[in-house]
């Protein structure tokens, strides 16, 4: 893996490097339809989305889903998403940004709450795997927070200083996970949260990944 003492970026995948918001909204509405709920717009999704995901459903339903309802909705979501992700691609400028960060001698990795067994071949399929010192997806049940996963992820990296690490993601939970390990965060408006909910977290918020990388460079200097 090598030793890295310069700035490090931990990238989120869904809604950040991978521009899959249309598939996510479609999958969410497919899950809602299982319980007879009305479909949700992208704007409404970004306004209300949070983790753990059952809490997001509570905001929409007015109550927490039962265990059986959650299992049904979660299975429906992942089935629909898997079918429709094939039409999704990388966010604008990703290949150049990853190459630029690597060529400057800095390290980067991916930590996603997307299932590990699905994530790794997806990253590999886009031809960008070589830019990352580690790619970690979720193991265990879906729907939870990223914080403990972040502890394990950074713990597995050699020579990466949390104080010089910046997490780039599209959700408030990315910033909370960063804070949990003593890292910094930059949040991107192209995914699951609207700007207002991201700004409430108290970290830099940007509209492009190019801005996110520039901000990461500044924060980790």
């Amino acid at each position: 893996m090598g030793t890295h003492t310069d700035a490090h970026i931990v990238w989120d995948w869904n809604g950040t490097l991978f521009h899959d918001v249309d598939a996510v909204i479609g999958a969410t509405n497919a899950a809602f339809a299982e319980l007879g709920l009305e479909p949700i717009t992208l704007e409404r999704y970004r306004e209300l989305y949070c983790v753990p995901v059952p809490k997001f459903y509570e905001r929409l339903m007015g109550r927490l889903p039962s265990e059986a309802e959650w299992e049904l909705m979660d299975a429906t979501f992942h089935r629909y998403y898997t079918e429709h992700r094939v039409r999704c691609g990388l966010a604008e400028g990703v290949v150049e940004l990853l190459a630029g960060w690597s060529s400057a001698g800095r390290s980067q990795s991916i930590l996603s709450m997307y299932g590990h067994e699905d994530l790794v071949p997806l990253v590999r399929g886009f031809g960008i795997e070589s830019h990352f010192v580690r790619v970690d997806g979720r193991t265990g049940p879906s729907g939870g927070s990223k914080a403990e996963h972040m502890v394990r992820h950074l713990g597995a990296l050699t020579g990466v200083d949390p104080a010089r690490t910046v997490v780039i993601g599209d959700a408030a939970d990315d910033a909370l996970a960063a804070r949990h390990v003593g890292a910094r965060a930059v949040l991107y408006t192209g995914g699951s949260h609207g700007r207002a909910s991201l700004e409430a977290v108290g970290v830099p918020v940007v509209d492009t990944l190019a801005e996110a990388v520039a901000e990461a460079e500044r924060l980790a200097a």
Side-chain angles (χ1 to χ4, degrees), residues 168-212:
I168 298 178
D170 68 316
D173 190 53
D174 291 301
L176 299 178
R179 192 173 298 160
H180 187 68
V181 295
R184 312 292 284 277
V186 179
L187 297 179
Y188 163 63
T189 62
S192 60
H193 280 34
R195 175 173 278 276
S197 60
L198 293 179
E199 287 179 339
V201 185
V203 302
V205 177
V206 299
D207 296 319
T208 69
L209 292 183
E211 292 174 277

Side-chain angles (χ1 to χ4, degrees), residues 18-84:
F18 189 47
H19 185 66
D20 61 350
V21 67
D22 291 337
V24 168
I25 296 299
T28 299
N29 284 330
F32 288 170
E34 292 285 354
L35 299 188
L37 300 174
E38 291 296 313
I40 188 174
T41 64
L42 173 59
E43 292 70 28
R44 183 75 171 152
Y45 181 94
R46 284 176 166 165
E47 177 186 346
L48 295 177
Y49 180 75
C50 64
V51 296
V53 176
K55 183 71 176 176
F56 168 53
Y57 289 158
E58 181 184 25
R59 290 181 173 184
L60 292 160
M61 299 168 64
R63 62 176 177 82
L64 277 171
S66 69
E67 185 174 344
E69 288 172 333
W70 161 249
E71 290 177 358
L72 174 63
M73 295 171 81
D74 191 49
T76 301
F77 177 96
H78 285 98
R79 184 173 63 250
Y80 181 100
Y81 178 84
T82 299
E83 292 171 1
H84 290 266

Side-chain angles (χ1 to χ4, degrees), residues 117-128:
E117 298 304 317
D118 293 313
L119 173 67
V120 171
L122 193 53
V123 172
R124 187 172 296 145
F126 282 111
I128 58 174

